[in-house]
Amino acid sequence: MAPKSKISRIRNIGIVAHIDAGKTTVSERILYYTGKSYKMGEVHDGEAVMDWMPQEQERGITITSAVTTCDWKNHEIHIIDTPGHVDFTIEVERSLRVLDGAVVVFCAVGCVEPQSETVWHQADKYGVPKISFINKMDRVGADFFEAVRMMGERFTSIPVPIQIPAGSEEKFRGAIDLINQKMMVWDDGSHGMEYTIQEIPEEFREQATSQREKMIEILAEADDALAEKYLGGEEITVAEILAALRKTTISLQIVPVLCGAALRNKGIQPILDAVINFLPSPEDIPPVKGINPITKNEEVRHSSDKEPLAALAFKIMLDDGRKLTYLRIYSGQIHANDEVYNPVKKKKEKVARLLRMHANKRERIEKASAGELIAVMGLKDTTTGDTLCDEAHPIMLELMEFYEPVISQAIEAKTPADQEKLNSSLIKLLDEDPTLRVKYDDETAQTVISGMGELHLEIIVDRLRREFNAHVNVGRPRVVYRETIQKQIEVEGVFERELGDKKHAGHVRLLMAPRKRASGNEIINKLADGIIPAEYHEAIEEGIREALMSGVLSSYPVTDISVTIIGGSFKEGESSAQGYKIAAATAFRDGCNQADPVMLEPIMLVDIITPGEFVGEVIGDINSRKGEIQAVNPKGTISEVKAKVPLKAMFGYSTDLRSATQGRATFSMIFSEYNKA
């Protein structure tokens, strides 16, 4: 066999899951067994290596995605541990954008929870192959096969158990490996570092045989070469099973399923083996596509050191006040002190240092190559989603989409000295977090921050106080509304005035019409040739774009409108870009006033998991909040209630839910759509 190339021994994986399924615990164990940590950090002690922010340690949740590198069986594994809380969805989204594979962790008791569905669909959107680990097999109520059944029901890929548990709850002994037909038992004395391979006990033999048969059957359906041997009744070798599993996992047809109990140190080594055996290396994924900013043609970059540099900045982080930019290198190489080109900002950037990250520790390196995830110091203008490339071979990789905030909060500095700190700190936080918005309100002299949810804003305020030492007073969270129009209208805007000693004029006609909910805004230019010179078209569009930022009812952003530029006129010597811009904005505002404007409010999709006996109270409470029940799914002793509820009715909901269900129900909510307020 030829030795494997370096790139084929790299794995870029993320660990994703619902909040509390045990992602960070799994990451900690992986670091311990690969020799990166000398002791195991526990989330509940606030000592996890990957959760290094003070806010993460106190709340026992992951907020930022930490990146780390470890080695397993001569392979280099780059791991991103992502947050499970829905307010930090963007962290998951941007991690999945740059990863080649994911380990999805499920809780054997909660099975497929709402947030794990969201994460799964995000992974599907980016075509990321997955393996899944059913954790907490030792907990009361653990049910491996129910979790597999639910995965089959809710996801398009077929879940294929490659292990089954030997016992469950307090009788959980180990995992039965269906590929090699052996049982793995972990030794409690060695922190799970050592395990023994045993014959499958009599009581599980029949179940193991039938599950293995099922696994081969599913693989035969997806793999022709295997199907021939299977139908011919030939013996199928372990190597053939592994090859078929790898092929079908990478092509997103199946998802291998493993089991264990991370907190008891059981089941981690097989996850690492599965990452190497079944998840793709950068060579196995399709080449990345981008647009050449000069020719506007699509180009591709293969995962190779020989190709020109193409890298994506997927995260910005502040470290002791210095800016760290995380990059995924898709092709080419990058060296310390290189000059690279950012085609999005049209600027050159200097790479001061290259760092290989290990959670929040780091190691300086001189160069990095295709397929790696690294951090860079020295980039001044690069922000999340930007491409870095070789100026002689420019390419712009697909930009990342960000979510619009739904909740805002006024903050104000306590003293003038704090105001300065507040302004500079917010600029740094905006760099890090693309879902944060900041707006200064002249009337109230307050700064308004907007984000994805109450927890998101709470963490931002906490960081302002702690990290940046900016003392602020905080208002109550408020809903971010939108405005739109309800009928079609044709309007014109005329502007003629002397500004300074120069005459400025502009005249445009617009056709404005409402669009379907959630379809966003569009500006269409239908000006016939010669009506208005082409050099002023951009100014007209800019005037409309700026006017869309604040509506006529309460200055909220305007959405779901189509604006067509249909006419106007030109005066030689008087018409100017400024004149057209103001005329377009005036026409737009007049149009909004005449076209029956209306306020839209954010509606949230709320998912509540509650013990069966409280379902009545939960539904009654949702109805009292003008919510609309979508579904009630009983799952054994617990039930899942799905509802759509206006965001304004959801403030303080967690306290009310706790008191209605004796603290036993949990919920998650995610933005669904805007609707008439």
Side-chain angles (χ1 to χ4, degrees), residues 78-96:
H78 301 265
I79 301 174
I80 300 187
D81 174 31
T82 61
H85 198 287
V86 68
D87 283 15
F88 307 107
T89 301
I90 186 63
E91 283 287 328
V92 182
E93 182 94 10
R94 59 180 170 187
S95 302
L96 287 169

Side-chain angles (χ1 to χ4, degrees), residues 80-313:
I80 300 187
D81 174 31
T82 61
H85 198 287
V86 68
D87 283 15
F88 307 107
T89 301
I90 186 63
E91 283 287 328
V92 182
E93 182 94 10
R94 59 180 170 187
S95 302
L96 287 169
R97 168 79 168 77
V98 297
L99 291 171
D100 306 330
V103 177
V104 189
V105 181
F106 293 98
C107 163
V109 184
C111 299
V112 180
E113 294 170 285
Q115 190 55 27
S116 42
E117 274 191 71
T118 310
V119 174
W120 191 283
H121 294 311
Q122 281 174 312
D124 280 347
K125 173 172 147 190
Y126 291 113
V128 177
K130 299 165 277 294
I131 57 177
S132 66
F133 176 67
I134 295 177
N135 190 19
K136 305 192 181 184
M137 278 308 307
D138 55 338
R139 287 261 307 273
V140 175
D143 188 339
F144 176 82
F145 293 104
E146 173 59 15
V148 173
R149 188 193 65 74
M150 278 178 75
M151 286 163 67
E153 228 172 59
R154 301 199 179 182
F155 305 134
T156 45
S157 317
I158 304 168
V160 178
I162 57 171
Q163 288 182 340
I164 58 169
S168 67
E169 303 185 354
E170 75 279 6
K171 293 202 182 86
F172 176 63
R173 288 155 56 187
I176 293 168
D177 171 358
L178 300 177
I179 301 170
N180 296 299
Q181 305 187 64
K182 296 284 185 214
M183 176 160 107
M184 305 172 82
V185 178
W186 280 268
D187 167 26
D188 289 336
S190 70
H191 284 314
M193 199 69 148
E194 286 157 24
Y195 55 90
T196 50
I197 305 275
Q198 305 174 359
E199 289 305 317
I200 299 173
E202 194 57 50
E203 62 198 281
F204 299 116
R205 209 164 286 166
E206 196 180 316
Q207 189 185 28
T209 309
S210 84
Q211 286 292 330
R212 185 173 199 263
E213 194 64 21
K214 232 188 216 167
M215 168 181 81
I216 293 173
E217 228 167 83
I218 295 171
L219 289 175
E221 273 173 37
D223 184 311
D224 297 344
L226 206 67
E228 258 177 59
K229 290 193 75 170
Y230 177 68
L231 295 171
E234 290 177 55
E235 184 58 38
I236 289 166
T237 66
V238 167
E240 286 168 327
I241 294 177
L242 290 172
L245 278 166
R246 180 176 183 83
K247 191 173 134 190
T248 49
T249 303
I250 292 175
S251 61
L252 303 181
Q253 291 166 281
I254 67 144
V255 176
V257 184
L258 300 95
C259 63
L263 199 59
R264 301 273 166 278
N265 313 317
K266 293 181 174 154
I268 302 297
Q269 293 91 339
I271 298 178
L272 287 161
D273 291 341
V275 164
I276 289 171
N277 289 335
F278 311 130
L279 290 180
S281 76
E283 279 186 337
D284 298 321
I285 56 166
V288 68
K289 293 187 176 117
I291 300 291
N292 181 323
I294 298 162
T295 63
K296 300 283 183 261
N297 294 335
E298 188 177 87
E299 293 187 6
V300 297
R301 293 279 187 275
H302 294 85
S303 195
S304 150
D305 295 354
K306 311 270 185 292
E307 298 228 345
L309 174 71
L312 183 78

